Amino acid sequence: MPTWRYVGRDRGSGNPAAKRLEVRMKMSIRRLAIFFAIVVALLSGRQLDAADSEVSGLFKGNDQPAKLAFVSAQKGTAIAGKETIKLVFTEKDHAKDQKADLKALFGDYGSALIIGIQPDGKVATCDIAHEAHKQKPISSPSSVKMSDFKNEGGQISGKLVTDGKQEAFGQTWEVNLIFKTKAP
């Protein structure tokens, strides 16, 4: 009596089409397994990139909070002969954009904060583009200070703060953020 393993299998009836079908099914299953392995590997890599960057804290414009959820670091342009690093903080994911800093200034990624720092962490530039502001962007490099700055092991981290609420052109903003991201 045949067991369940033999149900639906060709047991030598001499039908060559059945053999070809069995080979094709095995090939299809292998391809499917390889496809799923590739998809899982790509998604895992993407999650690792996202895990490399974190931002939390407060970013307000005209007393309206914005949830900055993404941060990246790019090589900045030299200022007074010193290399800079550009930190881009946004509400929407900008990781795949080579010009995220420029597009963020004009609202492509929601509210944004673009900070230029020197290698020691000193803030050199600060551009604020908050959805609640009528005039965007606002440039105010002296309003934001960096503390607890680290640039080691391929990671940049630190804390960016304003001394309370800041004002320019009749608009206000406030920053108190902790971040970490991959170094450029």
Side-chain angles (χ1 to χ4, degrees), residues 58-60 112-116 122-129 133 137-147 159-169 171-177:
L58 173 83
F59 179 50
K60 284 186 179 181
L113 182 65
I114 296 89
I115 305 287
K122 183 179 180 196
V123 175
T125 64
C126 172
D127 294 302
I128 302 112
H133 288 165
I138 297 171
S139 183
S140 182
S142 63
S143 66
V144 178
K145 305 290 184 228
M146 175 80 76
S147 63
K159 183 175 183 178
L160 290 165
V161 296
T162 54
D163 188 19
K165 192 185 298 186
Q166 302 294 304
E167 183 178 351
F169 307 107
Q171 301 185 89
T172 63
W173 69 92
E174 187 174 357
V175 174
N176 188 348
L177 297 172

Side-chain angles (χ1 to χ4, degrees), residues 20-147:
R20 284 194 304 268
L21 178 62
E22 187 176 343
V23 168
R24 269 194 241 143
M25 285 180 59
K26 285 182 180 177
M27 292 293 285
S28 295
I29 291 171
R30 284 185 189 140
R31 286 183 185 148
L32 190 61
I34 291 170
F35 172 77
F36 280 123
I38 290 170
V39 168
V40 167
L42 290 174
L43 290 177
S44 296
R46 197 172 218 187
Q47 287 175 345
L48 288 175
D49 284 344
D52 286 344
S53 296
E54 296 175 12
V55 60
S56 63
L58 173 83
F59 179 50
K60 284 186 179 181
N62 291 339
D63 294 320
Q64 300 295 314
K67 177 64 179 136
L68 298 181
F70 300 93
V71 60
S72 66
Q74 308 169 350
K75 262 193 160 199
T77 55
I79 298 176
K82 292 184 179 181
E83 291 296 317
T84 63
I85 298 168
K86 194 166 284 195
L87 300 171
V88 181
F89 298 86
T90 60
E91 288 182 303
K92 299 175 185 170
D93 191 2
H94 63 269
K96 293 183 180 180
D97 193 343
Q98 296 296 320
K99 296 288 182 185
D101 57 330
L102 183 60
K103 290 182 180 178
L105 286 174
F106 297 100
D108 285 16
Y109 299 106
S111 293
L113 182 65
I114 296 89
I115 305 287
I117 60 171
Q118 296 173 348
D120 63 356
K122 183 179 180 196
V123 175
T125 64
C126 172
D127 294 302
I128 302 112
H130 197 287
E131 293 288 314
H133 288 165
K134 293 175 189 147
Q135 178 182 338
K136 300 179 231 182
I138 297 171
S139 183
S140 182
S142 63
S143 66
V144 178
K145 305 290 184 228
M146 175 80 76
S147 63

